[in-house]
């Protein structure tokens, strides 16, 4: 047993893991004034993964907030040496990413446009300019590239030591040679840790365990989906050709990155087929270790790199390195409080970008812990996005084989994972597959995204994606589905909806406390509502069905299932007579939408579905064939329609029954891509894109479903009510606006900059093609002054920037499609 100083009996927070992430969390908590911060490291600081990181500091990420965090990391490292006296080795030589295809160049140009919305300096280069930035490479096949001057490289070990010293200077204790063997808990909250040298009680426990993060999570009963993979790089002997001013070079089309360091060249790769490691757990004595060489696995990368940089051909290899890195199923790291256990926090799974992410991630988590809420939208990396099945060994091994390589793959819109699929299937899956469905995955659910019509199948087309940044192979098929929903009737399989039954004599009081809308409605009514945080930000966007005096059904998106269930359960008081049960698997959902939906369902059921007998926003029991079902009159596409909730075992029967009656009414099966394009025409918001916990519900244009005047439940007024009243009084600083491009050829996805009267005012939160409106349509946030009226906002001139090109757009605060809602209530 390693001799260490006696452990404290109690700490405000215990951080597990002494890599760059753990030290960053300790540093930032101490900087916020936290005392009794204790960091425990099983061996020595940096000994797991940090010590062998390549040390690349890149700032442009896939989304604005992730770029914001990476940008903070770079800024932090610049000042750490002056603050602590420990050199970080951070040198801002810039980074160059080159594109070898037009698709890659489109991706890079779109990323460069996004960067403008938050002030990151990104230069889009021609092929000649890219070659000039890095003269050593062969460049006859280069299409172009992007250059980021503020990027660079640093020493991972020294950054960690600097953060550790900064934490110590503010009173944090960092203790090496202590292994955590258990997490103590009581009444649903983490209460401390057990170690090989004693126990520590704590108010908070933070899992920064890196390679060991999954196992530490299991000690606490918390799902932390991480899989270690072998990660390779070589270091050459000194090369006279190298100059010290070379930027970091990335060639994603060849899976490679290059870094000059002390006259040598480091060549690393994210190969398309990765090698999972540590399937039976990470060895207990793993410390500054590396894995066996596998030159054969790396050979193809090396041969391509030699062609790219001819000087490599004569360079000796001083080091062939193979070390493990931990990867998540979706290549985004894990941050936040565990949904299963209060007071247990996670910062892990950094997918080989730990050094460039550590500063921002540590700051964000520290502020979250200190304030009780995320400091801004962190849904991209929120631990609650992960589903329980994603922590299984088999799933992780299969997905990790693919996910490492996707770091440098083309990030096409709508790109789907190929591995670890077909786990969660609707009971209608095989039936839809036979009808030509092309499936995509969300939260593990296989969902029909679009359908290949019979005439296309007869021409030899298959229901598979052909990815590009232009109109993909399913574009026209989606258009036909979209128009069927607008003109006749479409049917969507929405069985992936998450469904929570909330029951008990206090169920209404609990939901009234959570919901901005009024849920004290008669039995048989539907309520569309948001759950807010204390700042008025949107924590959840969902519908609630009142099934009886004491029973409600909460329906939300599949991707939000873990998040929303955790939020709901955490707000049920211990003494409340209220039970929450996840009943997602119990019912399938068929969404029947379009102007002919009433005629179809009446013919199939014999029920009276007229406005008088079945008003909008209500539910009833009806019969479809031999099956009793529950019909909810509601819509997410802006048309007359019903969601049909049917016992899972009867779903196939109900679908066949509807299809049998559908031919007379123009019924067409439709996929989730058509659902998205229809909802964007109608300006319906989507949680996670158009609104998050950082977006105020009023500024999101949802004031019409906020009931500040409703009676408080016995638990008090609804969460966020004060923030709603304050914003109404103060006015808006942002607005969510709908845009329609004037150019019918350009495509919108999300994150495109919005120009207002010649200045960048915001960015799109979501976008798609509006087949009825005849051009791309999007929702976007723009900055405004509190005194501006709606008319003032609309009086401006707007442009949307797409890959560096600005296109004029029409702006609207009312839905561009059916602004009065006449079709929904028809």
């Amino acid at each position: 047993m390693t001799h260490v100083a006696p452990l404290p009996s109690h700490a405000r927070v215990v951080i597990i893991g002494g890599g760059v992430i753990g030290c960053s969390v300790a540093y930032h908590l101490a900087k916020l004034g936290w005392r009794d911060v204790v960091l425990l490291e099983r061996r020595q600081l940096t000994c797991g993964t940090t010590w062998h990181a390549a040390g690349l500091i890149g700032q442009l990420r896939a989304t604005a907030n992730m770029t914001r965090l990476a940008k903070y990391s770079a800024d932090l490292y610049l000042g750490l040496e002056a603050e602590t006296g420990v050199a970080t080795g951070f040198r801002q030589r810039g980074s160059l990413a080159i594109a070898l295809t037009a698709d890659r160049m489109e991706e890079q140009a779109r990323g460069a446009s996004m960067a403008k919305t938050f002030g990151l300096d990104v230069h889009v280069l021609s092929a000649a300019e890219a070659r000039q930035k890095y003269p050593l490479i062969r460049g006859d096949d280069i299409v172009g590239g992007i250059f980021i001057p503020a990027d660079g490289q640093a020493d991972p070990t020294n950054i960690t030591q600097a953060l550790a010293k900064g934490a110590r200077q503010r009173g944090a204790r960092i203790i090496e040679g202590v292994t955590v063997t258990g997490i103590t808990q009581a009444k649903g909250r983490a209460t401390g840790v057990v170690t090989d040298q004693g126990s520590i009680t704590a108010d908070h426990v933070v899992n920064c365990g890196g390679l060991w993060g999954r196992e530490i999570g299991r000690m606490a009963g918390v799902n932390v989906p991480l899989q270690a993979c072998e990660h390779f790089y070589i270091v050459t002997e000194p090369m006279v050709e190298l100059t010290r001013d070379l930027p970091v070079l990335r060639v994603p089309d060849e899976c490679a990155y290059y870094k000059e360091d002390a006259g040598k060249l480091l060549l690393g790769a994210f190969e398309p087929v990765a090698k999972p490691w540590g399937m039976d757990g990470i060895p207990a004595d793993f410390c500054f270790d590396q894995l066996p060489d596998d030159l054969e696995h790396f050979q193809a990368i090396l041969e391509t790199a030699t062609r790219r940089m001819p000087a490599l051909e004569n360079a000796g290899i001083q080091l062939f390195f193979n070390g493990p890195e931990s990867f998540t199923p979706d290549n985004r790291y894990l941050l936040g409080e565990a949904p299963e256990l209060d007071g247990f926090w996670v910062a892990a799974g950094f997918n080989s970008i730990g050094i460039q992410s550590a500063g921002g991630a540590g700051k964000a988590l520290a502020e979250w812990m200190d304030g009780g809420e995320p400091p801004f939208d962190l849904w991209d990396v929120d631990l609650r996005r992960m589903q329980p099945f994603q922590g299984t060994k088999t799933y992780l091994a299969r997905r990790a084989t693919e996910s490492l390589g996707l770091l440098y793959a083309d990030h096409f819109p709508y790109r789907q994972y190929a591995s670890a699929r077909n786990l969660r299937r609707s009971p209608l899956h095989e039936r839809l597959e036979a009808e030509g469905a092309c499936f995509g995955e969300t939260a593990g659910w296989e969902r029909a995204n679009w359908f290949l019509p019979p005439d296309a199948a007869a021409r030899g087309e298959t229901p598979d994606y052909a990815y590009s940044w232009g109109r993909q192979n399913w574009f026209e098929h989606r258009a036909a589905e979209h128009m069927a929903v607008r003109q006749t009737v479409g049917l969507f399989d929405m069985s992936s909806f998450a469904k929570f039954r909330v029951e008990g004599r206090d169920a209404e009081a609990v939901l009234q406390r959570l919901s901005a809308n009024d849920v004290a409605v008669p039995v048989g009514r539907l309520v569309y509502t948001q759950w807010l945080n204390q700042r008025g930000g949107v924590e959840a966007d969902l519908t609630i069905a009142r099934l009886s005096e004491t029973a409600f059904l909460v329906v939300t998106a599949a991707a939000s299932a873990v998040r929303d269930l955790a939020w709901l359960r955490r707000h049920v008081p211990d003494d409340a007579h209220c039970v929450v049960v996840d009943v997602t698997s119990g019912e399938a959902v068929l969404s029947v939408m379009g102007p002919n939906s009433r005629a179809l369902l009446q013919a199939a059921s014999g029920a009276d579905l007229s406005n008088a007998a079945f008003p909008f926003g209500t539910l009833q029991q009806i019969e479809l064939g031999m099956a009793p079902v529950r019909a909810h009159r509601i819509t997410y596409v802006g048309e007359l329609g019903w969601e049909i909730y049917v016992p899972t075992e009867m779903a196939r029967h109900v679908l066949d029954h509807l299809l049998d009656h559908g031919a007379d009414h123009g019924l067409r099966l439709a996929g989730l891509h058509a659902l998205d394009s229809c909802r964007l025409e109608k300006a319906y918001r989507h949680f996670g894109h158009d609104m998050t916990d950082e977006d105020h519900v009023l500024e999101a244009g949802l004031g019409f479903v906020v009931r500040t005047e409703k009676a408080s439940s016995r638990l008090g007024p609804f969460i966020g009510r004060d923030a709603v009243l304050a914003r109404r009084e103060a006015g808006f600083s942002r607005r969510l606006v709908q845009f329609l491009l004037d150019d019918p050829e350009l495509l919108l996805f999300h994150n495109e900059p919005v120009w207002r009267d010649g200045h960048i005012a915001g960015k799109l939160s979501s976008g798609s093609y509006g087949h009825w409106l005849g051009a791309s349509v999007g929702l976007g946030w723009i900055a405004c002054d509190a005194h501006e009226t709606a008319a003032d906002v609309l009086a401006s001139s707007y442009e949307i920037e797409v890959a560096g090109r600005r296109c004029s757009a029409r702006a609207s605060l009312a839905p561009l499609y059916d602004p009065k809602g006449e079709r929904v209530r028809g």
Side-chain angles (χ1 to χ4, degrees):
M1 180 182 296
T2 304
H3 175 73
V4 298
L7 299 181
S9 60
H10 177 79
R12 185 176 182 186
V13 57
V14 172
I15 301 166
I16 306 169
V20 69
I21 308 300
C23 289
S24 179
V25 173
Y27 170 87
H28 284 95
L29 283 173
K31 197 170 183 179
L32 287 172
W34 281 43
R35 300 295 174 258
D36 299 324
V37 174
V38 173
L39 183 150
L40 302 178
E41 163 53 45
R42 52 183 286 281
R43 293 296 177 114
Q44 296 173 249
L45 297 186
T46 78
C47 74
T49 297
T50 298
W51 72 278
H52 64 71
L56 309 185
I57 310 297
Q59 298 172 73
L60 183 60
R61 309 302 304 158
T63 64
N65 278 345
M66 293 303 97
T67 301
R68 178 178 178 180
L69 292 178
K71 189 173 185 295
Y72 170 81
S73 294
D75 294 340
L76 172 68
Y77 301 157
L78 278 174
L80 264 184
E81 182 172 350
E83 177 186 337
T84 65
V86 178
T88 62
F90 186 31
R91 300 185 297 279
Q92 287 182 298
R93 298 178 179 173
S95 71
L96 170 67
I98 61 173
L100 305 182
T101 68
D103 277 330
R104 180 72 70 176
M105 194 63 229
E106 174 82 4
E107 177 187 333
Q108 292 183 349
R110 284 177 174 264
S113 288
M114 178 190 71
K116 295 178 183 178
T117 65
F118 39 82
L120 182 61
D121 186 21
V122 180
H123 301 186
V124 179
L125 306 181
S126 67
E129 291 169 331
R131 290 193 295 268
Q132 189 176 14
K133 286 286 184 186
Y134 212 103
L136 293 181
I137 58 173
R138 181 181 62 80
D140 54 307
D141 57 347
I142 293 176
V143 175
I146 58 171
F147 180 70
I148 305 176
D151 282 357
Q153 57 198 69
D155 184 315
T157 298
N158 279 11
I159 285 177
T160 306
Q161 295 294 348
L163 290 167
K165 185 174 180 180
R168 290 190 188 101
Q169 288 173 339
R170 292 175 170 84
R173 291 189 62 185
I174 296 178
I175 307 172
E176 298 176 295
V178 178
T179 300
V180 173
T181 58
I183 309 296
T184 59
Q185 50 188 286
K187 297 181 179 179
R189 185 173 184 87
T191 58
V193 300
V194 179
T195 80
D196 59 355
Q197 300 185 39
S199 298
I200 305 175
T201 61
D203 301 327
H204 301 270
V205 176
V206 187
N207 176 3
C208 299
L211 296 172
W212 294 266
R214 179 168 172 266
E215 284 67 33
I216 294 169
R218 291 201 162 193
M219 293 178 191
V222 170
N223 180 38
V224 184
L226 293 177
Q227 176 61 53
C229 288
E230 299 184 25
H231 182 52
F232 303 88
Y233 62 74
I234 64 166
V235 179
T236 70
E237 293 176 345
M239 297 173 59
V240 296
E241 298 90 346
L242 298 177
T243 59
R244 297 299 177 91
D245 60 347
L246 285 174
V248 170
L249 172 67
R250 294 180 177 87
V251 191
D253 293 306
E254 295 175 345
C255 312
Y257 60 87
Y258 303 74
K259 181 187 82 167
E260 185 280 331
D261 192 2
K264 305 170 186 176
L265 188 71
L266 183 150
L267 164 65
F270 294 103
E271 65 278 15
V273 181
K275 294 181 64 180
W277 177 79
M279 296 300 300
D280 297 321
I282 311 300
D285 59 353
F286 193 89
C287 179
F288 294 113
D289 286 345
Q290 63 185 82
L291 306 179
D293 294 349
D294 189 347
L295 188 57
E296 181 178 354
H297 185 79
F298 193 73
Q299 188 64 38
I301 300 292
L302 183 57
E303 290 174 356
T304 301
T306 301
R307 290 193 295 271
R308 178 63 51 201
M309 186 181 295
L312 269 175
E313 189 171 352
N314 299 316
I317 297 177
Q318 186 178 83
L319 171 68
F320 184 99
F321 188 86
N322 180 8
E325 299 266 9
S326 57
F327 288 82
T328 63
D330 60 6
N331 279 331
R332 291 178 276 143
Y333 51 86
L334 306 175
L335 205 69
E337 189 173 20
E340 305 94 331
L341 185 64
D342 291 354
F344 186 86
W345 302 80
V346 176
F350 282 81
N351 306 291
S352 277
I353 58 167
I355 306 304
Q356 69 186 42
S357 304
K363 180 177 187 288
L365 188 68
E367 291 179 355
W368 190 343
M369 296 173 67
D370 188 58
E373 294 178 341
F376 50 84
D377 171 32
L378 292 168
W379 182 233
D380 281 333
V381 293
D382 196 314
L383 178 64
R384 293 172 294 175
R385 75 187 186 277
M386 288 296 163
Q387 307 293 317
F389 72 88
Q390 292 178 297
T392 62
K393 287 185 178 180
T394 301
Y395 173 87
L396 285 169
R398 292 180 181 177
R399 177 55 61 85
T401 302
E402 177 186 17
S403 61
L404 180 148
L406 290 178
L407 285 169
Y408 274 11
D410 285 286
H411 300 102
F412 290 117
Y414 310 105
R415 180 159 187 159
Q416 303 294 321
Y417 289 98
S419 60
R421 294 286 298 270
N422 292 307
L423 176 62
R424 304 179 82 180
R425 289 183 170 190
S426 154
L428 308 174
H429 183 94
E430 286 76 13
R431 187 75 173 86
L432 300 180
E433 187 174 36
E435 295 288 339
C438 177
F439 294 96
E441 179 209 350
T442 295
W445 283 97
E446 297 294 328
R447 307 194 303 178
N449 278 350
W450 54 277
F451 287 85
L452 184 73
D455 59 329
R459 295 194 299 269
E461 296 182 36
T462 60
D464 301 294
Y465 281 94
Y467 297 116
S468 78
W469 284 94
R471 298 186 178 193
Q472 296 184 16
N473 61 318
W474 48 266
F475 184 87
E476 294 302 332
H477 306 322
R478 193 265 302 269
E481 296 168 21
H482 182 115
M483 297 306 284
V485 172
R486 292 284 184 247
Q487 295 173 323
T488 55
V489 58
L491 188 152
F492 303 88
D493 178 13
M494 301 304 296
S495 301
S496 60
F497 276 152
K499 313 166 196 80
F500 313 135
R501 191 176 177 96
V502 185
E503 192 158 6
R505 69 169 183 249
D506 290 329
E508 179 187 296
V510 168
L511 292 173
Q512 278 289 71
R513 168 72 172 152
L514 284 174
S515 303
N517 206 342
D518 190 353
V519 299
V521 295
V523 173
R525 289 300 304 269
L526 303 172
V527 178
Y528 170 53
T529 189
Q530 288 73 45
W531 292 346
L532 308 180
N533 54 39
Q534 295 290 0
R535 299 174 299 193
V538 180
E539 288 287 344
D541 180 70
L542 40 80
T543 59
I544 299 175
R546 185 154 205 169
L547 305 179
S548 73
E549 289 297 327
T550 58
F552 297 80
L553 185 71
V554 174
V555 180
T556 190
S560 303
V562 173
R563 175 194 182 108
D564 294 352
L565 185 59
W567 185 264
L568 173 57
R569 284 177 169 164
R570 279 186 170 140
H571 287 89
V572 177
D574 292 339
D575 62 348
H577 290 263
C578 179
V579 176
V580 178
V581 180
D582 185 346
V583 295
T584 299
S585 298
E587 291 183 317
V589 182
L590 289 79
S591 183
V592 182
M593 298 287 154
N596 292 357
S597 59
R598 176 181 285 126
L600 167 59
L601 289 172
Q602 286 186 156
S605 68
D608 182 358
L609 304 184
S610 65
N611 280 327
F614 203 144
F616 180 78
T618 65
L619 63 91
Q620 293 182 24
Q621 295 286 337
I622 64 173
E623 297 176 5
L624 285 173
M626 296 181 286
V629 304
R630 195 176 64 254
H632 295 198
R633 187 172 170 193
I634 198 168
T635 183
Y636 191 52
V637 297
E639 299 291 344
L640 174 70
W642 282 262
E643 292 172 355
I644 308 299
Y645 289 73
V646 54
T648 297
E649 68 274 17
M650 302 180 189
R652 175 69 178 267
H653 167 75
V654 170
L655 175 63
D656 287 343
H657 184 69
L658 289 172
L659 291 176
D660 287 344
H661 286 79
D664 294 336
H665 303 279
L667 177 65
R668 186 174 188 129
L669 293 173
L672 274 295
H673 290 338
L675 185 87
D676 191 51
S677 58
C678 285
R679 71 95 185 171
L680 271 164
E681 286 191 329
K682 183 61 176 169
Y684 285 152
R685 279 65 168 147
H686 180 267
F687 181 82
H689 285 99
D690 306 312
M691 53 190 174
T692 67
D693 51 21
E694 117 177 75
D695 300 316
H696 198 282
V697 64
L698 297 186
E699 294 181 334
L702 295 169
F704 68 97
V705 289
V706 177
R707 299 286 182 265
T708 54
E709 73 284 358
K710 73 175 182 177
S712 298
S713 76
R714 71 169 187 82
L715 303 176
F718 70 84
I719 298 169
R721 181 177 184 272
D722 289 346
V724 170
L725 293 173
R727 187 56 53 90
R728 280 180 178 167
E729 180 69 23
F732 296 172
S733 62
R734 306 163 71 225
R735 281 185 182 268
L736 188 60
V737 180
Q738 187 181 27
F739 296 97
L740 179 69
L741 288 185
D742 289 336
D743 184 340
E745 297 303 315
L746 289 180
L747 298 182
L748 298 176
F749 303 111
H750 66 281
N751 283 331
E752 292 88 352
V754 178
W755 292 75
R756 180 183 183 186
D757 296 331
H759 302 280
I760 290 180
K763 61 182 175 63
L764 292 191
S765 50
S766 60
S768 186
Y769 200 86
H771 296 283
W772 181 275
L773 296 175
S776 285
V777 62
L779 290 170
W781 286 95
I782 64 162
C784 62
D785 294 331
H787 67 273
E788 285 188 286
T789 65
D792 292 333
V793 171
L794 297 179
S796 293
S797 173
Y798 289 95
E799 297 171 299
I800 310 297
E801 182 175 329
V802 179
R805 173 187 170 188
R806 285 156 61 176
C807 177
S808 59
R810 174 185 170 190
S812 180
L813 291 172
L816 290 169
Y817 180 78
D818 187 27
K820 295 182 180 180
E822 296 169 341
R823 297 178 70 89
V824 171
R825 300 178 183 275

